[in-house]
Amino acid sequence: MTVRRMNYREAVREALREALARDKRVFLMGEDVNRYGGAYACSLGLPAEFGDERIRDAPLSESAFVGAGIGAALGGMRPIVEIMTINFSLLALDQIVNSAATLRHMSGGQFSVPIVIRMATGAGRQLAAQHSHSLEGWYGHIPGIRVLAPATVADARGMLWPALLDPDPVVIMEHATLYNDEDELPAEGDMSVDITKAAKRREGSDATVIAHSASVKKALNAAEMLAGEGIDCEVIDLRILRPLDDETIVASVRKTHRAVIVDEAWRSGSLAAEISSRITEQAFYDLDGAVERVCSAEVPIPYPKHLEQAALPQPQSIAAAVRKAMRR
Amino acid sequence: MTVRRMNYREAVREALREALARDKRVFLMGEDVNRYGGAYACSLGLPAEFGDERIRDAPLSESAFVGAGIGAALGGMRPIVEIMTINFSLLALDQIVNSAATLRHMSGGQFSVPIVIRMATGAGRQLAAQHSHSLEGWYGHIPGIRVLAPATVADARGMLWPALLDPDPVVIMEHATLYNDEDELPAEGDMSVDITKAAKRREGSDATVIAHSASVKKALNAAEMLAGEGIDCEVIDLRILRPLDDETIVASVRKTHRAVIVDEAWRSGSLAAEISSRITEQAFYDLDGAVERVCSAEVPIPYPKHLEQAALPQPQSIAAAVRKAMRR
Amino acid sequence: MRNIADDRVHLTREHAVELLRQMTRIRRFEEKCAELYTQEKIRGFLHLYIGEEANAVGVISALAEDEAIVATYREHGHALVRGLPMSEVMAEMFGKAAGSSRGRGGSMHIFSARHRFFGGNAIVAGGLPLAVGLALADKMLGIERATCCFFGEGAAAEGEFHESLNLAALWHLPVLFVCENNLYAMGTALARSQSNPSISTRAAVYGIASEAVDGMNVVDVEAAARRAVHAVRRGEGPRFIEAKTYRFRAHSMFDADLYREKAEIEAWKKRDPLTLFSDWALSAGVLHPDDRQEIEVDVAREIDTAVGFAEAAEWEPVEDLATDVVSPRPETEP
Amino acid sequence: MRNIADDRVHLTREHAVELLRQMTRIRRFEEKCAELYTQEKIRGFLHLYIGEEANAVGVISALAEDEAIVATYREHGHALVRGLPMSEVMAEMFGKAAGSSRGRGGSMHIFSARHRFFGGNAIVAGGLPLAVGLALADKMLGIERATCCFFGEGAAAEGEFHESLNLAALWHLPVLFVCENNLYAMGTALARSQSNPSISTRAAVYGIASEAVDGMNVVDVEAAARRAVHAVRRGEGPRFIEAKTYRFRAHSMFDADLYREKAEIEAWKKRDPLTLFSDWALSAGVLHPDDRQEIEVDVAREIDTAVGFAEAAEWEPVEDLATDVVSPRPETEP
Ligand SMILES: Cc1ncc(C[n+]2csc(CCOP(=O)(O)OP(=O)(O)O)c2C)c(N)n1
Ligand SMILES: Cc1ncc(C[n+]2csc(CCOP(=O)(O)OP(=O)(O)O)c2C)c(N)n1
Ligand SMILES: [Mg+2]
Ligand SMILES: [Mg+2]
């Protein structure tokens, strides 16, 4: 099978292009998606192919254009709404929580809201306190939506189409530090991936490290460091933040008896807490010790590199947590 | 000591009155706080005493008037901002997360934001999916703010003044089903309570039940039911949702070896998950079994009473979880 | 039956009967609901529309059946006029499984996909973006029809009002915005909450043609709605109607109504939309002397049937609590 | 030194030198920042104000030193004119502990409590409610002064613009809103994002007196600001200024600037606020022939000092990461 290299950004773009070409009801809407090409250049070039209607620049009004996406989905379209970053999605949360996520249940099953909302997330680019949020755990709290976190180029390429096939709202979290990551993809064929299962990114027997998004690479780095010390880590990439794939997580922990969860969110009330609870609930007697969490320091993320990096999970801190779990 | 009976609503009102009388910089601002008397009648009568400026009706514009409260706090006032319910606070989250909670740290310690934000929370009144949120766990995730959940008349009376003394933003969550609860309070003296510690509402030796807000009563009910079966529960009222009082929680679990957490929020990503994780992290070897959680079903809260009650934690489900924790 | 192709009102007897019948249905339905509330058959929030009936009736009379409606928590009237069977609406008020939202929504969340009735939104101004999106879908799909969005004057202070009007105007979308200005948002009088209390002038600043109309006069409302909806359908972009109206009852069943003068309420009651219209129509000979009584009898029967239906209907089983939170995963999924 | 008591501009030589000096300080400071960015001394987002200097200089010249300023992520100019020492601002750009926000904020979050400079807000329109609140505090405390809020024309589409203008007008608050209309919000031209591109007419609908001004002409800006701020101080309620301006550089260092014509940029550069003002002032004899050069020399020296200071400054120790997330608990606590 021939392969080709592409980066995460190009993978997102190709996925957008595929979706727009496959289904006339699909359109992309958000701030600066057209003339500017998207804040992260994901839609650069698409207006020439699909026109201004389908690559639709929206004014700075997150609540209204996300709500309009929900309305358009109710009206028979398949909108992909880009919120420039998760930081600005706070302005649209009401529409997401109170309309997108509730309409099906609240109407007794009459309505579907087949909207896909994409947003860039995370810290690591020295953008300081208001531009570095990792609030994907909040989205993971909301019944009625599906939350995806592509950590690889293949997932960036392959999650969008299945997300559009989902009759319910799907939120896709693209970590802003991943856009330049490169990888090989098959040159042709169906690129769609399963959006229900977590993935084992590294096989191991001593401890399970569970991460998502940009933290997966850090977890893999930690695993390499630990391999040198004779500690063999399994690394799970959550991929889907809601509904969580308990099965994959718990099966791994049953095997390794130790779990470390990595999450770039602030520790208190993080998704890591949820996973930790589920592990103790479902595998308490398989555990050799407490589940460890490696999260961000509970501070508004500061601008200078040394402080920002100190605030975030790092391979070193992950490795330390694994050693602690191993009582080494 | 003479005592007097009052209900939770009256306690809130008296606390407001005290604060307004003690400090000229204090004012109350929110939708319908003046002419209407507050959606839950907490400020009824106060305009006559304190005038329209200090009991300030705000237009329907949650983001602006919460932001204006933050600005007024920066400008030397001590605003109490009432958001009618937590459901509408989604519209103001950006101001809370990105301004109130970050300004001190992001400015290198130059600014204080001594605002108090009160809101009614929770389900149980048949108000359906958009009016029944229990999102206080989201607030518990945000560094830079303090989150209080008065579950008793004494706490409703005594938390406001210390909250106003806090130089940082404080959010007070008043569960809407509590306003008619009555209790006895001392007739005179300082009503202020400690806003840093959880409280033991029932002493017990077999299992620790941890709850907050309206769930505390349910936990106490469950404890009474279980007492009849020879199971002796300790009941902890969290009182402060951020920062959590780990010490009180862990000390109790170290004694009872079993923990059940009750939280009206949806289970995934709930505050209950955070507490569960902390318990396993800090008291793993003291635990006789997995920490149990009793949360709301992961559904938009439905209108009919039987479905709403089925969605929420109940004394029965709490008791069942305790029995499970006791392996009975 | 309904003549929607014309941009003027034709006050035949038939149409006059229909207007009065619809207003009467709302009035009596809600009076019944208030009664059922005190009997604890209906719970939660109940926001009565009594006094404002001319607006739903006038506007919806001008809409085609497939023209979407987005409303608020004060939407019983809109649902009934749109054609949702009264029995289903009443069952919804009770929270029964036969209700229009399977009983899950109650008074504030009446939905009907088959009537393109999109609710029933309990977040003030939350419906405006949805209406904009429904109209955007129509425009992109090449379907020439209007989407009609109702909201109160209080909603005009919210950011979403501003953002939504801008989007609709900018993209030239077929939305008919109808602001039901009943002068109060809960207990807050318009003049105490908005620096410019003239809602219709505020729409104009977005470049949206707008008109203020006497919301107690059903014919005026219908006439304005017909003009507006025809312009919208012709592709002239959004239109805005401010209907000046008044609610005779408190904001909700929890409201002690302390913030307005009894005299003000009484003055407005003199302009009751039902009497105003039927008196005029009788004197103009458009309605026949017996029509009013016949309507009342019909409506009373309809309400009895609806209450009977709702009483007899089943509760949704507790086991179904979690159905339809999400759809079952599609077969096509990889 | 600064004459703020007058509501007209007095173009003495001294004042002209000051205006030109301030504009030059911003221009050269930012040119240096761009250079330092390519050297990776400055990181994160960097939004240059080059081309728009007349606005910060004109407006802030009209403000008293204790009149609060709320700005955006494009606020270096505002900080410098307000009087924050350039060394502290530069150290902030580097992220050093001697920076105006202890280095924690960087380019987008310059703060100074002692200058009543409230930042530095990276959420578009997020500063408007804060400004309203600061003004509310002044009003309630009986302090007669204005609060000045800067934001871009893109912000005028956000709900918070609408909500904040309404609050300020409704409560008659002493806010001076200054919309720096540089025609683009990132890559989105005003006409492509707002149905009514005339920002100043949109303020008027709230009942806020508003004025559009040539934002490339520092004297015009100052004159408009003086008129407005005097009205605000007199208790006449909020005022609104739309300054028509242009940014010569890309939106941020990440922006490839593909969405506008080079010719458009060149045309605007012909109206460079620095040349426009200094040419006029020279020809009018207000500035002396050597003034321009002297200012450049002074400013170059100031920038060298600032860079040297920033280079030499310490990083905040990692151990201090969590200080000032919250304050230490007060002693008075029960
Ligand atoms: C965002 C939001 N804030 C507050 C409320 C509480 N609330 C419900 S109805 C209402 C008044 C709305 O007034 P208006 O828009 O004039 O509509 P009316 O009730 O008069 O029909 C308020 C404040 C809400 N439901 N949503
Ligand atoms: C709420 C929000 N949405 C989006 C962004 C991303 N963003 C940053 S600046 C900007 C453009 C703002 O334009 P304008 O208000 O005209 O100010 P200018 O940058 O032109 O000075 C955008 C879209 C943001 N920071 N905040
Ligand atoms: Mg109203
Ligand atoms: Mg701009």
Side-chain angles (χ1 to χ4, degrees), chain C:
Chain C
M1 180 213 71
R2 198 189 278 169
N3 170 19
I4 60 115
D6 207 307
D7 67 354
R8 281 162 309 161
V9 184
H10 291 282
L11 266 183
T12 59
R13 176 181 175 205
E14 190 192 3
H15 188 55
V17 165
E18 180 62 13
L19 292 177
L20 184 59
R21 178 195 311 280
Q22 293 292 10
M23 291 198 290
T24 308
R25 289 176 77 225
I26 303 175
R27 176 69 55 95
R28 304 295 168 238
F29 175 87
E30 291 207 332
E31 286 167 350
K32 190 70 192 176
C33 287
E35 198 184 311
L36 291 162
Y37 198 92
T38 59
Q39 293 167 24
E40 306 197 1
K41 299 280 185 184
I42 298 175
R43 300 275 76 199
F45 281 153
L46 177 67
H47 304 93
L48 299 180
Y49 191 58
I50 290 175
E52 310 188 33
E53 296 91 341
N55 303 300
V57 174
V59 172
I60 299 173
S61 295
L63 301 178
E65 282 180 6
D66 66 339
E67 288 181 312
I69 292 174
V70 178
T72 70
Y73 45 85
R74 197 183 298 287
E75 89 289 26
H76 316 136
H78 309 79
L80 292 174
V81 184
R82 168 37 64 108
L84 276 73
M86 192 186 280
S87 297
E88 288 179 23
V89 178
M90 188 59 91
E92 188 61 35
M93 308 295 292
F94 277 62
K96 298 291 184 79
S100 44
S101 304
R102 218 195 280 176
R104 290 171 171 184
S107 162
M108 301 201 287
H109 301 296
I110 298 168
F111 293 101
S112 175
R114 71 184 196 279
H115 296 91
R116 300 200 81 231
F117 189 77
F118 291 91
N121 198 311
I123 304 296
V124 171
L128 279 86
L130 301 181
V132 167
L134 284 159
L136 175 62
D138 278 347
K139 186 168 188 187
M140 294 187 80
L141 295 166
I143 306 172
E144 286 177 8
R145 62 183 174 198
T147 290
C148 179
C149 184
F150 293 93
F151 53 94
E153 88 298 335
E158 290 279 8
E160 283 182 330
F161 169 87
H162 171 75
E163 297 184 0
S164 300
L165 264 64
N166 181 42
L167 273 192
L170 180 72
W171 293 341
H172 229 70
L173 300 178
V175 188
L176 174 60
F177 293 103
V178 181
C179 179
E180 301 182 295
N181 178 1
N182 61 10
L183 295 176
Y184 291 88
M186 284 185 61
T188 304
L190 176 52
R192 286 174 58 86
S193 74
Q194 294 178 53
S195 66
N196 176 355
S198 165
I199 307 280
S200 54
T201 62
R202 289 167 49 189
V205 88
Y206 302 93
I208 302 182
S210 96
E211 187 176 346
V213 66
D214 177 0
M216 306 312 259
N217 183 326
V218 69
V219 181
D220 283 4
V221 174
E222 183 180 344
R226 284 187 180 268
R227 283 190 295 275
V229 82
H230 275 264
V232 168
R233 287 190 204 129
R234 274 195 306 271
E236 294 179 13
R239 290 273 166 145
F240 193 99
I241 292 175
E242 177 194 355
K244 294 179 187 284
T245 185
Y246 200 78
R247 60 169 159 72
F248 294 167
R249 302 290 185 108
H251 168 73
S252 74
M253 301 303 281
F254 290 103
D255 173 9
D257 217 341
L258 302 171
Y259 45 80
R260 49 182 194 176
E261 302 291 331
K262 294 281 161 290
E264 180 183 288
I265 306 176
E266 291 314 313
W268 276 92
K269 281 190 176 164
K270 298 222 169 72
R271 305 202 63 243
D272 184 316
L274 277 70
T275 356
L276 214 60
F277 176 67
S278 60
D279 286 359
W280 169 83
L282 274 173
S283 69
V286 179
L287 280 179
H288 290 200
D290 297 341
D291 288 342
R292 193 149 49 172
Q293 185 53 25
E294 275 175 27
I295 289 172
E296 290 287 359
V297 171
D298 281 1
V299 168
R301 198 176 312 121
E302 189 184 8
I303 289 174
D304 279 351
T305 310
V307 173
F309 176 85
E311 291 277 10
E314 304 287 319
W315 299 104
E316 183 173 14
V318 168
E319 304 73 55
D320 290 357
L321 174 64
T323 54
D324 290 318
V325 175
V326 292
S327 64
R329 295 293 301 153
E331 302 292 327
T332 50
E333 167 120 350

Side-chain angles (χ1 to χ4, degrees), chain D residues 152-154 180 182-185:
Chain D
E153 88 298 336
E180 302 183 294
N182 62 9
L183 296 176
Y184 291 87

Side-chain angles (χ1 to χ4, degrees), chain B residues 153-223:
Chain B
V153 176
D155 278 353
R157 176 65 186 85
M159 281 183 163
L160 183 66
W161 184 249
L164 283 162
L165 291 182
D166 192 325
D168 299 312
V170 178
V171 180
I172 303 183
M173 304 288 182
E174 299 166 7
H175 198 289
T177 63
L178 296 177
Y179 287 115
N180 293 327
D181 278 15
E182 287 194 8
D183 206 351
E184 287 181 345
L185 284 191
E188 55 202 299
D190 187 1
M191 304 285 160
S192 290
V193 297
D194 183 351
I195 57 167
T196 65
K197 302 300 281 175
K200 202 173 285 182
R201 299 292 182 203
R202 186 186 198 280
E203 192 91 38
S205 54
D206 293 333
T208 301
V209 182
I210 300 150
H212 71 272
S213 203
S215 298
V216 174
K217 277 192 295 188
K218 294 181 179 176
L220 289 168
N221 283 346

